[in-house]
Amino acid sequence: MRIAPREVRSMLFRSLVAATALGAAATSAFGPAFAQEATPQAGDRPDIAAGAAQFIKPTNAERTQVLVGFLTTLGFTPEIQTFEGGNQATGPMEGANVVVTVGEGDKDIVLTAHYDAVKLRDGTLSHGIVDNVGSVMAMMEAAKTLDMALEGQPVAHRFVFVFTDQEELGLLGAKAFLAKHGKDRIAAVINADVAAYGQTVMYGENNGPQSAFVLETLRRLCAERGFDCMPYPTYPPSDDRAFSAAGVPVVSMGTQDAVGAHQMWLAFNGGKDNGLKEGFVPPVFQRIHSTEDKLSYLKGVDVARFGLFIADLGLALDKRLVENQAKADAVAAETAPAAATPGAGVD
């Protein structure tokens, strides 16, 4: 079943109303707050679950068309950037990144989520809901929220939403985007992967010293919004690694329930004495890349909440980057040699 335009407009209206109400009610160092704790009025967001169901297709090429259709219905003009992909197992295979932009600026804040699903051992395609339709739906929520919120309110950076293909084959879509776009315009990157349920925001701290200001901004935002955010010194790889390898500031985030997030933290960071039962596999890793990656795990209200948090983080980074540039300009002005006075030194 395809979501009708009326249902999509209803979803966007609710997002805008929520953002407007929260913006009027809350002021902070980061400006209007889009992301807050879910309220009973928010409901379960069945529209998001219905939208996610459309991505359950036999091929990733069909998932591409679903994504393009959604973005077009939301009022965007998506650009399809094809690339030569595939790996040794698949052979040559064309990939397709889907890109939309919000706002204008000389530099970009790039927001990424892969939409491709992994092929299972029996040759069928995973439903790929936890990995990674939940993040895709959250990114679309963030994109439309920013698009509506920034109307008539210019920011310093352009927001570039990149829905990547072939992440499951080796981050190929992210690498292709970086090769085409170049890194000089990119001020920061926000990546989302495995975010279909739960209100604990997980994020990696292992993307190089260039990403320190991104992490600082994220931590401040978590405290400001009262979100449960869990830092991982070691975090599973996703498209973020393509950017960090190029020296680009980036953070990768996902969501889970609090227990699942702690279990995953222990599995990756707890060492031999992590307290987990021998052979224990965190539930999220039992679900992804398997037939268990099902629509039933997705919680629309959690996805919507995460999407608004992403929008908040994008705006916070825009402000932080402007502040960083102002400080750098001030230092440069102070240390620059004084201009020579005309006629100075002439008898």
PDB file of all heavy atoms in Angstrom, residues 289-301:
ATOM      1  N   HIS A 289      20.508  -7.817   9.109  1.00  0.00           N
ATOM      2  CA  HIS A 289      21.141  -8.763   8.185  1.00  0.00           C
ATOM      3  C   HIS A 289      20.539 -10.161   8.299  1.00  0.00           C
ATOM      4  O   HIS A 289      21.240 -11.165   8.182  1.00  0.00           O
ATOM      5  CB  HIS A 289      22.658  -8.828   8.401  1.00  0.00           C
ATOM      6  CG  HIS A 289      23.365  -7.567   8.027  1.00  0.00           C
ATOM      7  ND1 HIS A 289      24.722  -7.495   7.806  1.00  0.00           N
ATOM      8  CD2 HIS A 289      22.899  -6.295   7.821  1.00  0.00           C
ATOM      9  CE1 HIS A 289      25.061  -6.251   7.498  1.00  0.00           C
ATOM     10  NE2 HIS A 289      23.965  -5.509   7.500  1.00  0.00           N
ATOM     11  N   SER A 290      19.251 -10.211   8.576  1.00  0.00           N
ATOM     12  CA  SER A 290      18.570 -11.493   8.705  1.00  0.00           C
ATOM     13  C   SER A 290      17.100 -11.333   8.330  1.00  0.00           C
ATOM     14  O   SER A 290      16.616 -10.225   8.091  1.00  0.00           O
ATOM     15  CB  SER A 290      18.675 -12.018  10.147  1.00  0.00           C
ATOM     16  OG  SER A 290      17.753 -11.345  10.997  1.00  0.00           O
ATOM     17  N   THR A 291      16.393 -12.439   8.319  1.00  0.00           N
ATOM     18  CA  THR A 291      14.947 -12.394   8.038  1.00  0.00           C
ATOM     19  C   THR A 291      14.174 -11.754   9.188  1.00  0.00           C
ATOM     20  O   THR A 291      12.982 -11.501   9.057  1.00  0.00           O
ATOM     21  CB  THR A 291      14.410 -13.819   7.795  1.00  0.00           C
ATOM     22  OG1 THR A 291      14.712 -14.628   8.947  1.00  0.00           O
ATOM     23  CG2 THR A 291      15.043 -14.447   6.555  1.00  0.00           C
ATOM     24  N   GLU A 292      14.861 -11.502  10.316  1.00  0.00           N
ATOM     25  CA  GLU A 292      14.203 -10.903  11.472  1.00  0.00           C
ATOM     26  C   GLU A 292      14.154  -9.373  11.424  1.00  0.00           C
ATOM     27  O   GLU A 292      13.582  -8.752  12.318  1.00  0.00           O
ATOM     28  CB  GLU A 292      14.913 -11.342  12.763  1.00  0.00           C
ATOM     29  CG  GLU A 292      14.680 -12.789  13.114  1.00  0.00           C
ATOM     30  CD  GLU A 292      13.190 -13.085  13.307  1.00  0.00           C
ATOM     31  OE1 GLU A 292      12.549 -12.392  14.111  1.00  0.00           O
ATOM     32  OE2 GLU A 292      12.686 -13.993  12.632  1.00  0.00           O
ATOM     33  N   ASP A 293      14.748  -8.786  10.398  1.00  0.00           N
ATOM     34  CA  ASP A 293      14.723  -7.319  10.298  1.00  0.00           C
ATOM     35  C   ASP A 293      13.360  -6.909   9.737  1.00  0.00           C
ATOM     36  O   ASP A 293      13.217  -6.589   8.554  1.00  0.00           O
ATOM     37  CB  ASP A 293      15.854  -6.829   9.398  1.00  0.00           C
ATOM     38  CG  ASP A 293      16.052  -5.324   9.508  1.00  0.00           C
ATOM     39  OD1 ASP A 293      15.194  -4.653  10.107  1.00  0.00           O
ATOM     40  OD2 ASP A 293      17.065  -4.818   8.990  1.00  0.00           O
ATOM     41  N   LYS A 294      12.364  -6.886  10.610  1.00  0.00           N
ATOM     42  CA  LYS A 294      10.968  -6.772  10.200  1.00  0.00           C
ATOM     43  C   LYS A 294      10.358  -5.416  10.553  1.00  0.00           C
ATOM     44  O   LYS A 294      10.815  -4.708  11.449  1.00  0.00           O
ATOM     45  CB  LYS A 294      10.142  -7.873  10.868  1.00  0.00           C
ATOM     46  CG  LYS A 294      10.562  -9.288  10.502  1.00  0.00           C
ATOM     47  CD  LYS A 294       9.745 -10.304  11.296  1.00  0.00           C
ATOM     48  CE  LYS A 294      10.120 -11.736  10.950  1.00  0.00           C
ATOM     49  NZ  LYS A 294       9.351 -12.714  11.753  1.00  0.00           N
ATOM     50  N   LEU A 295       9.262  -5.122   9.868  1.00  0.00           N
ATOM     51  CA  LEU A 295       8.520  -3.891  10.099  1.00  0.00           C
ATOM     52  C   LEU A 295       7.976  -3.804  11.525  1.00  0.00           C
ATOM     53  O   LEU A 295       7.840  -2.715  12.069  1.00  0.00           O
ATOM     54  CB  LEU A 295       7.365  -3.795   9.099  1.00  0.00           C
ATOM     55  CG  LEU A 295       6.515  -2.525   9.135  1.00  0.00           C
ATOM     56  CD1 LEU A 295       7.347  -1.297   8.773  1.00  0.00           C
ATOM     57  CD2 LEU A 295       5.316  -2.664   8.210  1.00  0.00           C
ATOM     58  N   SER A 296       7.712  -4.935  12.132  1.00  0.00           N
ATOM     59  CA  SER A 296       7.098  -4.937  13.465  1.00  0.00           C
ATOM     60  C   SER A 296       7.990  -4.293  14.518  1.00  0.00           C
ATOM     61  O   SER A 296       7.503  -3.866  15.569  1.00  0.00           O
ATOM     62  CB  SER A 296       6.761  -6.376  13.888  1.00  0.00           C
ATOM     63  OG  SER A 296       7.927  -7.188  13.888  1.00  0.00           O
ATOM     64  N   TYR A 297       9.285  -4.174  14.262  1.00  0.00           N
ATOM     65  CA  TYR A 297      10.185  -3.551  15.231  1.00  0.00           C
ATOM     66  C   TYR A 297      10.144  -2.028  15.166  1.00  0.00           C
ATOM     67  O   TYR A 297      10.557  -1.351  16.111  1.00  0.00           O
ATOM     68  CB  TYR A 297      11.631  -4.029  15.018  1.00  0.00           C
ATOM     69  CG  TYR A 297      11.848  -5.466  15.433  1.00  0.00           C
ATOM     70  CD1 TYR A 297      12.166  -6.436  14.491  1.00  0.00           C
ATOM     71  CD2 TYR A 297      11.714  -5.857  16.761  1.00  0.00           C
ATOM     72  CE1 TYR A 297      12.364  -7.763  14.860  1.00  0.00           C
ATOM     73  CE2 TYR A 297      11.913  -7.172  17.148  1.00  0.00           C
ATOM     74  CZ  TYR A 297      12.230  -8.123  16.189  1.00  0.00           C
ATOM     75  OH  TYR A 297      12.414  -9.436  16.562  1.00  0.00           O
ATOM     76  N   LEU A 298       9.672  -1.475  14.065  1.00  0.00           N
ATOM     77  CA  LEU A 298       9.688  -0.024  13.901  1.00  0.00           C
ATOM     78  C   LEU A 298       8.628   0.639  14.771  1.00  0.00           C
ATOM     79  O   LEU A 298       7.489   0.187  14.828  1.00  0.00           O
ATOM     80  CB  LEU A 298       9.472   0.340  12.430  1.00  0.00           C
ATOM     81  CG  LEU A 298       9.566   1.838  12.112  1.00  0.00           C
ATOM     82  CD1 LEU A 298      10.330   2.070  10.821  1.00  0.00           C
ATOM     83  CD2 LEU A 298       8.184   2.472  12.025  1.00  0.00           C
ATOM     84  N   LYS A 299       9.032   1.728  15.427  1.00  0.00           N
ATOM     85  CA  LYS A 299       8.107   2.525  16.237  1.00  0.00           C
ATOM     86  C   LYS A 299       8.097   3.930  15.671  1.00  0.00           C
ATOM     87  O   LYS A 299       9.066   4.688  15.817  1.00  0.00           O
ATOM     88  CB  LYS A 299       8.525   2.518  17.708  1.00  0.00           C
ATOM     89  CG  LYS A 299       8.383   1.156  18.367  1.00  0.00           C
ATOM     90  CD  LYS A 299       8.689   1.215  19.854  1.00  0.00           C
ATOM     91  CE  LYS A 299       8.492  -0.152  20.514  1.00  0.00           C
ATOM     92  NZ  LYS A 299       8.795  -0.122  21.976  1.00  0.00           N
ATOM     93  N   GLY A 300       6.986   4.287  15.035  1.00  0.00           N
ATOM     94  CA  GLY A 300       6.909   5.559  14.329  1.00  0.00           C
ATOM     95  C   GLY A 300       7.204   6.769  15.182  1.00  0.00           C
ATOM     96  O   GLY A 300       7.891   7.698  14.748  1.00  0.00           O
ATOM     97  N   VAL A 301       6.702   6.791  16.409  1.00  0.00           N
ATOM     98  CA  VAL A 301       6.913   7.957  17.260  1.00  0.00           C
ATOM     99  C   VAL A 301       8.384   8.105  17.627  1.00  0.00           C
ATOM    100  O   VAL A 301       8.904   9.229  17.726  1.00  0.00           O
ATOM    101  CB  VAL A 301       6.026   7.887  18.522  1.00  0.00           C
ATOM    102  CG1 VAL A 301       6.472   6.781  19.466  1.00  0.00           C
ATOM    103  CG2 VAL A 301       6.010   9.232  19.237  1.00  0.00           C
TER     104      VAL A 301
END
